[in-house]
Amino acid sequence: MSDESIVIVGAGHAGVQLCASLIEAGQGHRVHLLSAEQELPYHRPPLSKSFLKQAKEPTQLLREAAWFERAGVQLSLGQMVVAIDRQAKTVTLRHGGSVSYGQLVLATGTRARIPPAWSLEATNVHVLRTARDARVLRQALQACSAVTILGGGFIGLEVAATCASLGKQVRVLEAGSRLMGRAVSPALSDHVVRAHRAAGIDIELQASARPQFHGDRLVRLTTDFGQHDVDLLLVAVGAQPESDLAQAAGLRCDDGIVVDAQLRTSDPHILAIGDGARFPWGQAHLRLESIQNAQDQARLAASTLLGGPAALYRPMPWFWSEQGALRLQMVGLLESGPVETYRREGAQPGALSLFHYQQGILRCAESVNAPADYLVARKWLEAGLSPPLDRLTDLAIPLRAILAPS
Ligand code: FAD
């Protein structure tokens, strides 16, 4: 291929959205998309939810094969990239051969984090990142009645709620003092832990678990509070960026592939997007693991690749998580420093909205089973509006009427 070619490594949400944006710009014929996975690119969020419930549930494809063909995108499945030669501008494939690029985009995402000193050799220990992982887990769930989940983050709690809905006995062991501690406010953690416990899920906090193996099985976990026999364990203690390829090629990495505000790595011919990219945020760098981030970065990357106006990546992050009867939605980000929160209990079962202010400015909103509140807050944040906190406390006024963005 010529200097014109755009090679994308990784066909997840970011890689496929980048294809879509390049196709929209009439540039599909320049794109070669390399995927380590054997199957057509699919949506990951259902894997911890509906996909586990039905034995025959198929993956939800991001795009059909014909869509790539029609646009002239070359899609190569089962092609893991193992090296980048930045001088020659080629990538090497694990099964042999190499592909030349004019511009390269690393959309390699993350992989499941494994706690130090743990092994995934045991036949009853699982992780959940890919459709393949989900199929193996789904199969294993059919033969067990009790599920233990290591990690009380989004994926762990989604699977916990799914398993509870399947009638399994579920226990979550979380090392931190609260659920989803890296991503949500203490008030939301507290609300969610109470809801899951009320739904029959056993949740142990501050539970650093030590494993005990017998033959090829994990048989027991010991925490400071007691011993738990294990039938099936899901390890859901977070994800780590797939940055080995970038690191070996000498690109700047620091818990992710470091990019500038236009998503270029330390090599101007190489961009990085999605879960694996760490971008500038205020005085620091930030890495987000969400569909919003993958898609928004992909759209901006297309503009950078095609020499569009020098837009900078300044996202308004949003995220959702479905945990059984709880639908969590979040928008915005808090800075460090004191926070003032307005709390609104909704009429729906389990409904709660939290509006977080810093120095009188609305920075972030979180809701559970309150989509209307979430939507209003998102509109406010996107429009840069901040209703005065004291006006929010007047519950007689519908939120959307307090400060309607024009
Ligand atoms: P990925 O989707 O992970 O794609 C990266 C791809 O790159 C993978 O296919 C990988 O195989 C491939 N790759 C890696 N290295 C190479 C290589 N060397 N050569 C070739 N290919 C390579 N987000 C939400 O916002 N809401 C949710 O409810 C939600 N639920 C989730 C549930 C689950 C079970 C999981 C796993 C994730 C969930 N997420 C959710 C997160 C969301 O899926 C990710 O943020 C999103 O997938 C990130 O997209 P990405 O393209 O950066 O990475």
Side-chain angles (χ1 to χ4, degrees):
M1 273 207 177
S2 68
D3 251 19
E4 284 279 282
S5 66
I6 298 170
V7 172
I8 305 170
V9 183
H13 287 266
V16 173
Q17 175 59 51
L18 177 54
C19 284
S21 300
L22 291 170
I23 290 168
E24 220 169 275
Q27 302 297 315
H29 61 283
R30 292 171 58 186
V31 179
H32 189 167
L33 178 60
L34 296 163
S35 173
E37 295 187 62
Q38 295 282 358
E39 54 196 297
L40 279 170
Y42 53 84
H43 289 268
R44 279 181 211 281
L47 299 182
S48 46
K49 307 164 186 112
S50 54
F51 189 81
L52 293 178
K53 289 189 184 171
Q54 301 288 341
K56 294 267 168 9
E57 177 96 348
T59 52
Q60 294 174 24
L61 296 185
L62 285 167
R63 300 286 178 168
E64 301 284 342
W67 178 83
F68 293 99
E69 279 162 28
R70 269 199 308 275
V73 171
Q74 189 178 345
L75 171 64
S76 302
L77 299 176
Q79 294 291 1
M80 173 113 176
V81 172
V82 289
I84 304 169
D85 183 335
R86 289 168 51 197
Q87 246 65 50
K89 290 174 91 178
T90 58
V91 295
T92 307
L93 306 177
R94 182 163 65 189
H95 299 309
S98 62
V99 176
S100 302
Y101 64 83
Q103 302 187 84
L104 179 68
V105 182
L106 300 175
T108 46
T110 54
R111 59 175 178 263
R113 198 167 80 76
I114 309 301
W118 275 66
S119 137
L120 286 186
E121 298 298 297
T123 52
N124 59 337
V125 176
H126 299 259
V127 292
L128 180 54
R129 184 74 215 164
T130 63
R132 194 171 167 275
D133 295 336
R135 283 190 201 100
V136 173
L137 176 61
R138 182 167 71 182
Q139 176 76 29
L141 283 172
Q142 284 179 8
C144 84
S145 57
V147 178
T148 307
I149 293 168
L150 195 67
F154 291 115
I155 291 179
L157 294 173
E158 288 176 2
V159 175
T162 303
C163 290
S165 77
L166 292 171
K168 315 284 178 199
Q169 193 189 320
V170 183
R171 168 172 289 133
V172 176
L173 301 175
E174 163 57 45
S177 57
R178 61 188 183 89
L179 297 180
M180 304 169 289
R182 283 183 305 130
V184 308
S185 67
L188 188 65
S189 297
D190 187 48
H191 184 76
V192 170
V193 78
R194 279 190 281 112
H196 283 316
R197 281 177 174 155
I201 298 174
D202 182 355
I203 297 178
E204 211 176 278
L205 299 173
Q206 294 181 308
S208 291
R210 296 174 292 283
Q212 186 184 329
F213 295 92
H214 187 261
D216 66 353
R217 287 181 68 80
L218 172 72
V219 288
R220 193 165 297 122
L221 287 172
T222 305
T223 70
D224 289 346
F225 307 102
Q227 291 197 332
H228 305 295
D229 291 339
V230 174
D231 194 359
L232 180 155
L233 180 81
L234 174 71
V235 176
V237 294
Q240 67 184 77
E242 279 288 4
S243 52
D244 297 357
L245 195 58
Q247 192 131 26
L251 300 176
R252 195 176 151 220
C253 293
D254 173 15
D255 182 32
I257 307 168
V258 176
V259 293
D260 66 16
Q262 288 179 286
L263 309 172
R264 291 194 191 282
T265 65
S266 48
D267 179 332
H269 301 289
I270 307 179
L271 278 67
I273 56 174
D275 279 13
R278 180 171 282 277
F279 59 91
W281 181 264
Q283 301 305 309
H285 277 75
L286 183 66
R287 195 170 63 74
L288 292 173
E289 293 171 13
S290 72
I291 299 296
Q292 166 275 317
N293 180 63
Q295 292 182 334
D296 287 353
Q297 288 196 341
R299 290 189 187 100
L300 178 67
S303 164
T304 302
L305 289 165
L306 301 177
L312 304 179
Y313 188 57
R314 293 251 169 277
M316 175 55 66
W318 54 263
F319 190 80
W320 84 97
S321 171
E322 284 166 30
Q323 302 177 12
L326 306 178
R327 181 168 172 85
L328 280 61
Q329 292 173 288
M330 289 137 266
V331 58
L333 273 184
L334 288 175
E335 321 244 312
S336 55
V339 182
E340 222 181 328
T341 298
Y342 166 64
R343 185 186 170 102
R344 173 182 160 99
E345 313 273 350
Q348 299 301 316
L352 171 72
S353 298
L354 299 159
F355 300 83
H356 302 293
Y357 282 71
Q358 290 185 299
Q359 298 178 323
I361 296 171
L362 179 66
R363 295 275 182 213
C364 155
E366 299 171 307
S367 75
V368 182
N369 296 353
D373 284 5
Y374 164 79
L375 278 178
V376 172
R378 187 168 155 185
K379 281 197 172 134
W380 285 338
L381 283 161
E382 283 172 351
L385 299 173
S386 257
L389 187 52
D390 54 3
R391 290 217 64 204
L392 280 185
T393 55
D394 185 350
L395 288 179
I397 306 175
L399 280 183
R400 65 182 172 283
I402 291 179
L403 188 54
S406 54

